[in-house]
Amino acid sequence: MQKSSSLLSFFIGTVFTVSGASASTIEWVDWTSAVNGSNISGWIGSASGEMTTSNGMISVGYEGHIWSAQTEPNSYWWTEGTPAPYTGNSVIDNAPDSSDIIRLQYSGSTNTITFSEAVYMPVMALVSVGQAGVGVSYDFDQSFTLLSEGHGFYGDGTLTQADNTLTGYEGHGAIQFDGWITSISWSNDANELWHGFTFGATEIQPVPIPAAVWLFGSGLLGLIGVARRKQA
């Protein structure tokens, strides 16, 4: 009986070890090109980039309002004070490591980020959403979680969440979307000097429990049952 219990404990431990695999290192989008909006285009532009995940390189596209974008080394906006706006949570270990950013200014457009393959629970880092006395809200087409907010490039501000809407008053922070995602759309409700964002995802996606493990477990439990009957 002792051997059977040991085998069962080993199986349960193995299953939970496999299914509980997770990571908090974020691979941020490398924005490689962007077309800024203009008066002629109604301030609608586009950007493209790439991101390395556990299953290889994927392409990332953006269509919507662009006031300006940085795709080459330039001013670094992802600074962190205390509390840390991007890493002050249990999900993100590393703030964006490059100066890449897409910056918005005007309201009235639908903005969409698209991944060439489904990404598991992507994160969005934000700089300077709103300003003191002027709130800016992002209304998303799907659910998300506000991970953290804090002291960023422009100091202390606030980010708050109400259902699928994020509102900032000079807010710096990070949010995470739920489940497997191929695209995310949102609009913002007010004009402001500028506010910026980028996206990222975990390097290690949840590892599904292989069918072979379940088959092994079923067989093992069957053998335990046989052993018990023989002992009885």
Side-chain angles (χ1 to χ4, degrees), residues 71-203:
T71 60
E72 300 290 342
N74 206 314
S75 299
Y76 182 74
W77 304 103
W78 308 106
T79 59
E80 293 195 287
T82 303
Y86 311 114
T87 61
N89 56 74
S90 61
V91 174
I92 301 174
D93 274 349
N94 55 310
D97 56 1
S98 76
S99 59
D100 286 9
I101 191 172
I102 295 176
R103 298 190 289 188
L104 314 180
Q105 185 178 64
Y106 301 120
S107 60
S109 62
T110 298
N111 310 308
T112 301
I113 192 93
T114 304
F115 303 105
S116 61
E117 297 180 26
V119 174
Y120 187 69
M121 300 187 73
V123 296
M124 182 182 192
L126 299 123
V127 172
S128 186
V129 178
Q131 55 184 285
V134 180
V136 170
S137 293
Y138 285 32
D139 186 17
F140 292 95
D141 65 347
Q142 53 199 280
S143 60
F144 66 90
T145 299
L146 174 58
L147 296 176
S148 55
E149 54 162 341
H151 187 105
F153 190 90
Y154 288 106
D156 290 308
T158 62
L159 289 175
T160 58
Q161 178 181 358
D163 296 325
N164 292 351
T165 299
L166 181 76
T167 300
Y169 288 85
E170 203 65 85
H172 303 75
I175 64 177
Q176 183 174 43
F177 296 89
D178 300 329
W180 291 91
I181 304 294
T182 55
S183 68
I184 300 166
S185 294
W186 74 94
S187 60
N188 52 285
D189 68 343
N191 297 341
E192 197 241 326
L193 183 58
W194 74 265
H195 40 100
F197 70 88
T198 192
F199 277 83
T202 52
E203 293 182 0

Side-chain angles (χ1 to χ4, degrees), residues 32-75:
T32 55
S33 65
V35 177
N36 294 338
S38 66
N39 285 324
I40 296 175
S41 68
W43 293 102
I44 300 301
S46 62
S48 60
E50 53 192 25
M51 183 170 59
T52 303
T53 66
S54 60
N55 57 343
M57 187 81 71
I58 65 170
S59 300
V60 183
Y62 171 77
E63 296 283 343
H65 173 49
I66 299 183
W67 175 64
S68 68
Q70 289 182 181
T71 60
E72 300 290 342
N74 206 314
S75 299

Side-chain angles (χ1 to χ4, degrees), residues 4 7 216-230:
S4 298
L7 286 171
F216 170 74
S218 299
L220 181 60
L221 292 174
L223 290 174
I224 291 172
V226 171
R228 283 179 175 176
R229 284 197 296 273
K230 285 184 176 180

